[in-house]
Amino acid sequence: MTVYATTLLVIAKEPLPGRVKTRLTPPYTPEEAAELAAASLADTLDAVLAAPARRRVLVFDGRPGPWLPSGIEVVPQCAGGLDERLAAAFAACSGPALLIGMDTPQITPGLLAPALGPDAWQDCDAWFGPAVDGGFWALGLAEPDPRLLRGVPMSRPDTGALQRARLADAGLTVRDLPPLRDVDTADDAGKVAGTAPESRFAATLARLATAAGHAGPGGGR
């Protein structure tokens, strides 16, 4: 039996109105934005469960709900900025770890596979998944070191470049995963749903669009 070495982390917050996906409002209401966030998180956890990993851990801000599937460990996020929370998630791991967020419901086990396979860390110290908006959607470290994240400015157009530079400056050999689009705006939501039409996220977006009386996901309201 193949033994996989990598811990797969998902950092997320409870999908409550007004706390998640606030840039979707408008055109979506806070309640609708929370629905979309919940669908995105569910799709992400589905992919995580189907991916090969030693452990699957949800690093969570909030209280788990009935949407949480079995097979996922839950640990609380620490206090502080996003860089501190990401750093703490890695610091709690022993051995290689790959961290993703809840904003890319289009991920699949196939997209994650290069960083999770038995040879993922052969001649490789880090995996980096750039986001279209200039951030990053995935970060993997063969030896989780919180110093590689602390102090990196987050939620900026150059966050991804700065984080990747931090890895390179530390002398790490970095491999890249394909770039993906985060769901931040209504336009993002429509484009992401189009790349994953069978997802819960796409179905939720289509339902909300139909209820609002406009055609196509992510359109104006």
Side-chain angles (χ1 to χ4, degrees), residues 10-15 36-46 58 60 67 101-103 105:
V10 180
I11 189 160
K13 63 172 62 175
E14 188 176 358
L36 290 167
S40 181
L41 179 55
D43 286 327
T44 300
L45 295 180
D46 280 349
L58 177 63
F60 200 54
W67 44 264
M102 62 180 284
D103 299 333

Side-chain angles (χ1 to χ4, degrees), residues 20-28 33 133 155 183-188:
V20 291
K21 294 287 147 233
T22 55
R23 289 175 61 189
L24 292 177
T25 304
Y28 297 98
D133 65 0
S155 303
V183 175
D184 289 321
T185 66
D187 183 62
D188 293 330

Side-chain angles (χ1 to χ4, degrees), residues 46-73:
D46 280 349
V48 165
L49 282 172
R54 182 167 68 92
R55 296 171 58 210
R56 299 166 181 85
V57 182
L58 177 63
V59 186
F60 200 54
D61 176 7
R63 294 181 298 178
W67 44 264
L68 180 69
S70 60
I72 304 284
E73 303 173 45

Side-chain angles (χ1 to χ4, degrees), residues 125-136:
D125 303 308
W127 286 90
F128 186 78
V132 172
D133 65 0
F136 59 93

Side-chain angles (χ1 to χ4, degrees), residues 94-122:
S94 59
L98 177 71
L99 181 143
I100 61 175
M102 62 180 284
D103 299 333
T104 49
Q106 71 273 44
I107 64 166
T108 64
L111 281 171
L112 299 174
L116 294 174
D119 60 347
W121 304 105
Q122 184 175 345

Side-chain angles (χ1 to χ4, degrees), residues 11 59-61 75-89 91 150:
I11 189 160
V59 186
F60 200 54
D61 176 7
V75 299
Q77 288 184 31
C78 75
L82 181 55
D83 63 317
E84 290 287 345
R85 288 179 278 141
L86 296 180
R150 289 191 182 119

Side-chain angles (χ1 to χ4, degrees), residues 109-184:
L111 281 171
L112 299 174
L116 294 174
D119 60 347
W121 304 105
Q122 184 175 345
D123 301 321
C124 176
D125 303 308
W127 286 90
F128 186 78
V132 172
D133 65 0
F136 59 93
W137 67 270
L139 179 63
L141 298 173
E143 297 182 8
D145 182 348
R147 293 173 298 180
L148 293 169
L149 293 107
R150 289 191 182 119
V152 175
M154 296 288 160
S155 303
R156 291 180 11 176
D158 59 350
T159 290
L162 293 170
Q163 181 62 73
R164 201 183 189 291
R166 176 74 69 88
L167 303 176
D169 289 346
L172 303 186
T173 300
V174 185
R175 293 181 185 169
D176 290 307
L177 293 166
L180 292 181
R181 180 181 295 274
D182 287 336
V183 175
D184 289 321

